[in-house]
Amino acid sequence: ETGVTQTPRHLVMGMTNKKSLKCEQHLGHNAMYWYKQSAKKPLELMFVYSLEERVENNSVPSRFSPECPNSSHLFLHLHTLQPEDSALYLCASSQGTGLAVSYEQYFGPGTRLTVT
Amino acid sequence: LAKTTQPISMDSYEGQEVNITCSHNNIATNDYITWYQQFPSQGPRFIIQGYKTKVTNEVASLFIPADRKSSTLSLPRVSLSDTAVYYCLVGSSNTGKLIFGQGTTLQVKP
């Protein structure tokens, strides 16, 4: 266990559905991240939150909407997704603030999303 | 930000030392190099991080030459449980950009 949990572990949704992914970290970290991992592609950083403020948004389509209500919880709200959005969505956390990428990141197990 | 390139796959045998090299020709002054390990159905796990020269911890060593255009992850005496995908990551402490490599699938054979 890494101290980062994600729910649900698997999700199947239609293109017109609205769903949310949840991430929780029990490590007392200040930064949290969302990544997308598609088959045969590198991990893609989607969003970074530091002290509950978004500090990075890598040109992610607006159908993905993050929310960070506190430093322990991170959500990814999904709506009107496309089949190409099917992937493993990983959450991570780290110490440090801002864009302190020198700190090691702790990843959750991911949510396997399938868009039909 | 530096693009990273690493071999798609490697094979090894138990007890051998494995070296996985990552190329990052355009690495910038403030970029760090980090390696992660990922097993199926799990998120990546931090192995080691460095900026220059050599870093060693209880599981691996990281060698970074003076020009920092490449880095080599060294796993001593691998076992079957080291079979996994290994990712090289270059991250900027200035901009927060993180670039993962494609990953190297290491298969350790008995």
Side-chain angles (χ1 to χ4, degrees):
Chain A
E1 294 297 326
T2 63
V4 180
T5 59
Q6 292 187 242
T7 54
R9 293 294 307 275
H10 301 273
L11 177 63
V12 179
M13 60 185 290
M15 289 189 285
T16 58
N17 291 158
K18 289 184 179 181
K19 296 287 184 182
S20 295
L21 309 184
K22 178 183 177 182
C23 175
E24 184 174 0
Q25 59 97 359
H26 311 275
L27 302 168
H29 289 165
N30 294 318
M32 297 188 77
Y33 311 75
W34 277 118
Y35 288 87
K36 176 183 179 182
Q37 186 173 34
S38 305
K40 302 187 185 304
K41 292 180 68 175
L43 279 82
E44 301 171 58
L45 179 64
M46 300 175 72
F47 301 104
V48 180
Y49 277 82
S50 176
L51 297 174
E52 301 140 49
E53 288 191 21
R54 189 190 305 180
V55 297
E56 182 68 20
N57 175 359
N58 282 327
S59 302
V60 178
S62 60
R63 56 186 184 268
F64 295 92
S65 175
E67 177 189 1
C68 188
N70 56 62
S71 59
S72 298
H73 294 86
L74 185 65
F75 295 89
L76 188 62
H77 304 299
L78 316 171
H79 64 97
T80 59
L81 294 191
Q82 304 299 311
E84 59 265 28
D85 296 322
S86 298
L88 181 68
Y89 288 85
L90 291 159
C91 173
S93 71
S94 71
Q95 292 179 326
T97 57
L99 302 173
V101 297
S102 60
Y103 291 97
E104 70 181 84
Q105 296 183 25
Y106 292 76
F107 284 82
T111 295
R112 176 67 63 184
L113 174 67
T114 302
V115 181
T116 61
Chain B
L1 188 64
K3 176 184 175 181
T4 62
T5 304
Q6 50 184 125
I8 297 298
S9 64
M10 294 181 69
D11 288 341
S12 182
Y13 290 93
E14 283 190 290
Q16 289 187 333
E17 178 184 74
V18 171
N19 295 308
I20 306 174
T21 297
C22 179
S23 297
H24 27 78
N25 290 323
N26 297 320
I27 192 167
T29 303
N30 294 309
D31 291 348
Y32 281 80
I33 300 156
T34 312
W35 284 82
Y36 284 84
Q37 176 192 56
Q38 187 176 25
F39 297 111
S41 302
Q42 294 184 25
R45 185 178 69 172
F46 174 90
I47 301 174
I48 198 165
Q49 182 175 63
Y51 182 78
K52 61 180 178 180
T53 63
K54 177 183 175 182
V55 180
T56 298
N57 62 22
E58 62 275 10
V59 298
S61 295
L62 178 60
F63 299 91
I64 305 170
D67 65 6
R68 303 200 328 123
K69 293 185 176 183
S70 66
S71 58
T72 299
L73 173 71
S74 181
L75 305 172
R77 299 179 299 282
V78 295
S79 64
L80 296 176
S81 62
D82 293 316
T83 294
V85 181
Y86 292 83
Y87 291 96
C88 166
L89 164 67
V90 173
S92 170
S93 60
N94 271 355
T95 66
K97 296 292 185 183
L98 301 173
I99 301 294
F100 275 87
Q102 292 271 12
T104 298
T105 299
L106 173 65
Q107 179 70 49
V108 180
K109 303 175 182 178

